[in-house]
Amino acid sequence: MIFSCETEREWDNIYDPSGVAHIPAPQITSIGATDFDKVQIDILVHYAQFTSYQVYRTNTSNTDYTIGTFNYGYIGEIDVRDLYPDNYNGELMTTVAYTDTALMMDVLYKYIIRGMVDENPGIWSPIFSAITSLDTPTLLSIEPVSDHEVI
C-alpha cells in the first residue's frame, strides 16, 4: 500500500470512491499591481489541511485550464506547510502573499487559485484580476528658466 500524504489527516481519502473530501476554495483578501510589472495576491490561509496553493493566470505561454473564453496557465505554487507549527492541529488564520513578476505594463491579468492537500486539488477560487500600470508622478516641481522653458 502506498500513502501519498506526509501527515495523517484523519479524513476520507479522496481516491477512495466511497470517501468524500471537501476541500474549500481559497480566500483571496487582496490583489493589485505593486509596480508597473508586478502583481501581488494576498491569500487567507483558513483551512488547516492545505499544504500549498497553486496560482494560474491568463496571458501565459502555456494553457492548463480554460474557463469560459480565458486560458489559464500555471505560474507558481505557495508552500504553506511551515505555517502550521502544531502539525496541522488547531486553527490558523494568516495571509500569505504571491508576487507575479516580469509582467507587461497596462495589461489586464486574470488569476485563479486552488488550495492543495498534498496532491489533491481543491475548488477553484473566484476569478480575480489586476491591471499593471505606472503610478502617477507625485511631488513634481517646476522651475521656470525663461518665458518658454521650465526644468
Side-chain angles (χ1 to χ4, degrees):
M1 180 177 279
I2 297 174
F3 291 102
S4 62
C5 295
E6 293 180 8
T7 305
E8 173 57 45
R9 305 279 194 239
E10 296 181 8
W11 52 279
D12 292 333
N13 184 339
I14 198 164
Y15 296 114
D16 179 359
S18 63
V20 177
H22 299 284
I23 303 172
Q27 294 181 8
I28 298 173
T29 57
S30 68
I31 183 170
T34 58
D35 206 344
F36 71 95
D37 64 346
K38 295 178 185 153
V39 169
Q40 180 171 314
I41 305 166
D42 295 323
I43 306 164
L44 178 66
V45 181
H46 67 291
Y47 183 63
Q49 305 297 333
F50 283 145
T51 54
S52 66
Y53 292 98
Q54 291 182 339
V55 182
Y56 295 76
R57 76 164 154 80
T58 57
N59 300 317
T60 61
S61 59
N62 55 314
T63 298
D64 297 300
Y65 292 95
T66 300
I67 299 175
T69 59
F70 295 101
N71 296 324
Y72 292 86
Y74 173 84
I75 59 169
E77 193 156 352
I78 306 167
D79 186 346
V80 294
R81 288 175 293 187
D82 293 337
L83 295 179
Y84 301 99
D86 60 353
N87 199 24
Y88 298 96
N89 296 319
E91 258 190 62
L92 178 67
M93 300 290 272
T94 189
T95 57
V96 292
Y98 180 85
T99 302
D100 191 10
T101 60
L103 302 173
M104 294 175 36
M105 188 174 66
D106 284 334
V107 174
L108 173 67
Y109 291 98
K110 294 179 179 285
Y111 294 86
I112 54 174
I113 298 172
R114 66 179 174 188
M116 300 292 291
V117 178
D118 293 319
E119 72 277 353
N120 302 313
I123 298 171
W124 290 109
S125 70
I127 298 169
F128 287 84
S129 59
I131 298 176
T132 52
S133 62
L134 283 174
D135 289 334
T136 304
T138 58
L139 302 174
L140 295 177
S141 63
I142 298 173
E143 184 178 327
V145 267
S146 70
D147 62 349
H148 63 280
E149 295 178 303
V150 295
I151 56 169

